[in-house]
Amino acid sequence: MTQAPLTLAEATDKAKELRAQLNQYSHEYYVADKPTVEDYVYDRLYKELSDIETEYPDLITSDSPTQRVGGKILQGFEKVTHEVQMYSLNDGFSKEDIYDFDERVQKLAGKQVTYCCELKIDGLAISLKYENGKFVQGATRGDGTVGENITENLKTVKSIPLELKKPISVEVRGECYMPKQSFVNLNKEREEAGQDVFANPRNAAAGSLRQLDTSMVAKRNLSTFLYTVADFGPMTAQTQYDALNELSDIGFRTNPEKKLCQTIDEVWAYIEEYHEKRSELPYEIDGIVIKTNEFTIQDELGFTVKAPRWAIAYKFPPEEAQTIVEEIEWTI
Ligand SMILES: NC(=O)c1cc2c(=O)c3cc(F)ccc3oc2nc1N
């Protein structure tokens, strides 16, 4: 029995209820990696909302899950100037480089420091701006000062919240990446279609975010891990470790493998641990990022022209990267 059409008032309330429910399910699936309902439950509610929005287009809101599918053809990407410079990291390639880094930091800080260690996700650095909790701008790093406005494309990335859990204004940074399995599937599709394949997940993510057809981006199953607060707004974290937890609390996806290390020996043990575990991860990493944990020390140490003095990226030896994807291909 088909349902009697809803009045505008009923449709308005129902759409609000469905958006909240669908965005909660989407957060659980794409951000927390802990889905609580089967896909068919989500799909049924999504269709109900989509039908209401078709009937009453004025009820479409910027944070509606129906806005994730893209469908805009962009003419190009405007330039964006980063108010807060997006630096790169100095690299380290050996145990000695890491211990030298620790020595320099201890000397500059004049005291024992603790380190926050994070996996170095091999994707594309992005900056996300929110005003009163709403996603208003997404950009690439570019040269660190000027990047490209890829807001429309990033709106289709399901782990990027269109609205935060609190109506705050912040700017955050992280990595947009393509999971290994999505990379293998995409290359299979491209090979079958006689198209060039991507060399690695990082290139596939970068190529996807450069698409001018946003519906193409929506199909690429990109994801994110956020790791930096550029403009704190009302956020209160005083250390990198707490900032990662605060980013998660307001709705961002953060990487769960972080570790607070009291000494550089603990840092080195973490590096060796994840050098071993690297091939088991569902995403590519090309190393480990080590940061002094206290923000007071980061402020004291500051930046060179190119990079922060308070962080270093330990890079794994590159030759293994290919075998990792080859291993995945055998599991298909
Ligand atoms: N790829 C990454 O997973 C990753 C990258 C960076 C940066 O590029 C980065 C650059 C800065 F100037 C400062 C902190 C940073 O922290 C970072 N943390 C991470 N986890």
Side-chain angles (χ1 to χ4, degrees), residues 71-142:
K72 289 186 179 141
I73 308 293
L74 307 174
Q75 298 310 309
F77 301 109
E78 288 165 17
K79 294 297 179 202
V80 165
T81 299
H82 299 298
E83 282 145 43
V84 177
Q85 172 94 357
M86 272 185 88
Y87 290 90
S88 302
L89 291 166
N90 285 320
D91 291 337
F93 299 95
S94 66
K95 183 173 183 178
E96 187 187 6
D97 289 346
I98 300 308
Y99 278 71
D100 288 350
F101 165 73
D102 176 51
E103 213 173 297
R104 279 198 308 279
V105 164
Q106 306 275 9
K107 199 153 157 248
L108 283 170
K111 63 180 176 181
Q112 176 75 23
V113 301
T114 59
Y115 292 106
C116 181
C117 292
E118 301 164 28
L119 302 185
K120 189 172 182 298
I121 310 303
D122 194 7
L124 206 74
I126 56 171
S127 180
L128 306 175
K129 260 188 183 171
Y130 289 76
E131 278 167 17
N132 305 318
K134 294 218 186 283
F135 178 45
V136 294
Q137 182 183 280
T140 63
R141 187 205 308 263

Side-chain angles (χ1 to χ4, degrees), residues 85-89 118-123 125 141 174-175 225-228 240 286 289 291 303 306-308 310-311:
Q85 172 94 357
M86 272 185 88
Y87 290 90
S88 302
L89 291 166
E118 301 164 28
L119 302 185
K120 189 172 182 298
I121 310 303
D122 194 7
R141 187 205 308 263
E175 207 79 5
F225 286 119
L226 277 298
Y227 47 68
T228 289
Q240 174 61 16
D286 59 343
V289 184
K291 307 170 188 179
F303 296 80
K306 181 172 105 47
W310 43 266

Side-chain angles (χ1 to χ4, degrees), residues 19 24 26 49 57 59 67 90 119 130 196 199 206 226 249 270 325 327:
R19 272 198 306 272
Q24 174 56 28
S26 186
L49 174 61
L59 291 180
Q67 305 307 295
N90 285 320
L119 302 185
Y130 289 76
D196 292 344
L226 277 298
D249 293 345
Y270 176 89
V325 175
E327 268 164 28

Side-chain angles (χ1 to χ4, degrees), residues 9 15 73 106 112 131 187 190 203 215-216 233 267 272 283 307 317 322 324 326 328:
I73 308 293
Q106 306 275 9
Q112 176 75 23
E131 278 167 17
N187 268 355
R190 292 176 70 88
N203 288 5
S215 63
M216 288 281 286
V267 169
E272 290 184 321
Y283 44 82
Q322 190 48 37
I324 288 170
E326 275 160 7
I328 280 275

